[in-house]
Amino acid sequence: MGEDMLHVMEWHNGEKAPSPFSDAEMARRQNDIRLWMARNDVDAALFTSYHCICYFSGWLYCQFGRKYGLAIDQDSATTISNGIDGGQPWRRSFGGNITYTDWRRDNFHRAVRQLTRGVRRLGIEFDHVSLDFRRELEAALPGVGFVDVSKPAMWMRTIKSEEEQALIRTGARIADVGGAAGVAAIRAGVPEHEVAIAATNAMIREIAGAFPFVELMDSWTWFQSGINTDGAHNPVTNRRVQLGDILSLNTFPMIFGYYTALERTLFCDRCDDASLDIWEKNVAVHRRGLELIRPGARCSEIAMELNEMYRQWDLLKYRSFGYGHSFGVLCHYYGREAGVELREDVDTELRPGMVVSMEPMVAIPQGLPGAGGYREHDILIVTEDGAEDITGFPFGPEHNIIRG
């Protein structure tokens, strides 16, 4: 390999890009990790996931078959990017950045070695590093012991700062904008994808207008009709909406790696009696769930109380997932704060600063009265003495039978 073929370099092109977060906020996040490292005799941490790199550096990478990282020690924080990304990772990173090239397949590991000289105990994300990746790290860093940093980092992310809460509020408002645009596009004969396009485009334009400089990426809408409503994450299709269809409108603006959501059950033009009965019962569960979100409440206890409501109506057998989850740096292809999910097997106590959804759903199989999936979704910020619902879009039959 010729001397002119660089393996690892600095590609600091341009100035640092505007961020929604202050330097003090980003320093706080990185110092929280440094404090954890000091208490646990860990010399450095190597983050490799979308969510942790974004949370601790402000930069959200595009993987496309390559490896990315963020190395933090007591003195510095440096993202590791690939040459294909140019200077964008430097501009977005709070801290330093080094770039590795594709000239050799081990160049990522060269960069890691450069940033971890003298390290004996290294934090890595056990829930993100594959078996192959771990073997590569072991070969690249002989004698280094690995410690899990994924769980400590998750618990740090579950408490949202005031600056994070402000961004999430903006996201919730923009999700409502997408919901209104989607509803305006709904009528019999319109395909699902056209409703989704209308909602997504409205959100993208709103995000673009809300910040002086923002990368517009990953916002999306799931609009489902008829049988397609039975799964919360079913993709958009070209099925055409029919009169009397049950509908599910789900808008997801993505802003600086932060996810927010609005999800609503609707009907096209009319709602039959069987469907109306199930819908109203699910709305009742949703209302009670909103009341249960408060500091000191346990995730498992919330789930079990809401289970009893479904059980009395013989609907519990149609419930398919938990009642809500934490919000923050996450998306449909990365991130999860599994310690704060409203499930029967999660005993976490809600604390001020946590942001969670309430999203009860039942899916009635095809062929039964009221067939389809019913789901409502609001976002709440847990406060010192209760919770604030930051979703403004109305829910229930009195608002969401859409007559075109």
Side-chain angles (χ1 to χ4, degrees):
M1 188 74 64
E3 291 297 320
D4 58 337
M5 305 296 278
L6 296 175
H7 300 301
V8 178
M9 58 186 171
E10 290 187 342
W11 192 338
H12 294 179
N13 189 32
E15 303 299 323
K16 292 290 190 179
S19 168
F21 303 118
S22 67
D23 287 356
E25 164 70 9
M26 296 307 298
R28 176 195 64 78
R29 299 180 190 189
Q30 293 180 1
N31 288 335
D32 283 349
I33 280 294
R34 293 187 175 109
L35 180 60
W36 173 83
M37 290 191 299
R39 288 173 174 170
N40 291 275
D41 192 27
V42 174
D43 303 307
L46 175 66
F47 294 104
T48 51
S49 68
Y50 292 100
H51 42 284
C52 278
I53 292 177
C54 183
Y55 181 78
F56 289 107
S57 78
W59 169 54
L60 183 63
Y61 66 78
C62 174
Q63 184 172 22
F64 231 124
R66 294 172 173 86
K67 291 183 173 66
Y68 291 89
L70 166 65
I72 298 180
D73 60 22
Q74 291 298 336
D75 301 313
S76 63
T78 308
T79 51
I80 305 169
S81 60
N82 186 267
I84 198 169
D85 302 296
Q88 186 259 6
W90 152 252
R91 295 191 294 272
R92 275 295 181 199
S93 297
F94 180 76
N97 168 264
I98 59 172
T99 296
Y100 72 94
T101 67
D102 285 341
W103 316 144
R104 291 175 56 118
R105 288 197 176 275
D106 65 348
N107 279 350
F108 172 81
H109 302 103
R110 285 174 178 246
V112 171
R113 283 197 299 272
Q114 180 176 315
L115 294 172
T116 57
R117 290 192 181 101
V119 168
R120 304 264 48 96
R121 279 167 57 83
L122 179 67
I124 62 173
E125 296 177 76
F126 282 14
D127 64 351
H128 184 261
V129 174
S130 68
L131 290 175
D132 283 345
F133 193 0
R134 176 153 184 164
R135 292 188 189 106
E136 292 170 6
L137 288 173
E138 288 170 344
L141 303 171
V144 173
F146 298 120
V147 180
D148 182 35
V149 72
S150 64
K151 288 184 178 61
M154 177 198 71
W155 289 115
M156 292 175 196
R157 299 195 315 273
T158 61
I159 303 297
K160 315 304 173 187
S161 68
E162 290 294 329
E163 293 185 24
E164 286 182 282
Q165 291 179 33
L167 184 63
I168 292 169
R169 289 175 192 277
T170 299
R173 178 185 65 79
I174 292 174
D176 287 347
V177 169
V183 165
I186 294 171
R187 63 184 183 276
V190 172
E192 291 177 358
H193 69 275
E194 291 294 344
V195 176
I197 289 169
T200 301
N201 284 352
M203 292 190 294
I204 290 171
R205 293 187 179 104
E206 195 71 18
I207 295 168
F211 299 92
F213 181 75
V214 60
E215 294 169 343
L216 298 165
M217 54 187 290
D218 298 333
S219 294
W220 84 104
T221 299
W222 283 322
F223 177 68
Q224 303 140 345
S225 63
I227 195 171
N228 293 339
T229 63
D230 69 342
H233 298 164
N234 292 352
V236 171
T237 75
N238 58 353
R239 180 186 184 276
R240 293 182 181 273
V241 174
Q242 301 172 27
L243 291 174
D245 265 352
I246 185 172
L247 311 171
S248 186
L249 177 61
N250 315 272
T251 61
F252 308 100
M254 290 295 303
I255 310 174
F256 294 100
Y258 278 72
Y259 156 103
T260 47
L262 166 73
E263 303 174 17
R264 289 291 183 257
T265 296
L266 313 97
F267 275 78
C268 179
D269 192 67
R270 57 180 179 264
C271 177
D272 64 85
D273 290 344
S275 298
L276 183 62
D277 179 63
I278 296 166
W279 192 6
E280 288 177 336
K281 287 171 178 172
N282 201 57
V283 164
V285 173
H286 184 57
R287 290 187 189 281
R288 179 56 181 155
L290 295 174
E291 295 171 352
L292 292 173
I293 303 296
R294 62 185 187 277
R298 293 192 178 275
C299 296
S300 56
E301 293 171 352
I302 293 171
M304 288 186 286
E305 178 168 336
L306 298 181
N307 279 349
E308 286 305 311
M309 294 183 69
Y310 280 138
R311 185 175 284 111
Q312 70 177 337
W313 297 315
D314 197 29
L315 290 175
L316 185 58
K317 59 191 175 186
Y318 300 125
R319 186 188 144 223
S320 55
F321 61 92
Y323 289 99
H325 57 79
S326 182
F327 273 76
V329 181
L330 61 99
C331 187
H332 56 320
Y333 62 87
Y334 66 83
R336 199 68 167 177
E337 294 168 9
V340 186
E341 294 192 6
L342 305 183
R343 297 165 40 128
E344 297 85 344
D345 56 357
V346 176
D347 290 326
T348 301
E349 185 176 291
L350 297 183
R351 295 168 54 195
M354 290 181 172
V355 181
V356 297
S357 59
M358 173 48 58
E359 49 180 304
M361 178 176 177
V362 288
I364 311 302
Q366 192 173 35
L368 296 180
Y374 300 76
R375 183 170 75 261
E376 313 296 341
H377 178 296
D378 286 33
I379 301 172
L380 299 97
I381 298 176
V382 181
T383 63
E384 293 294 334
D385 56 3
E388 178 187 359
D389 189 340
I390 61 173
T391 297
F393 200 94
F395 58 84
E398 62 271 33
H399 302 288
N400 290 328
I401 297 176
I402 310 304
R403 295 182 172 89

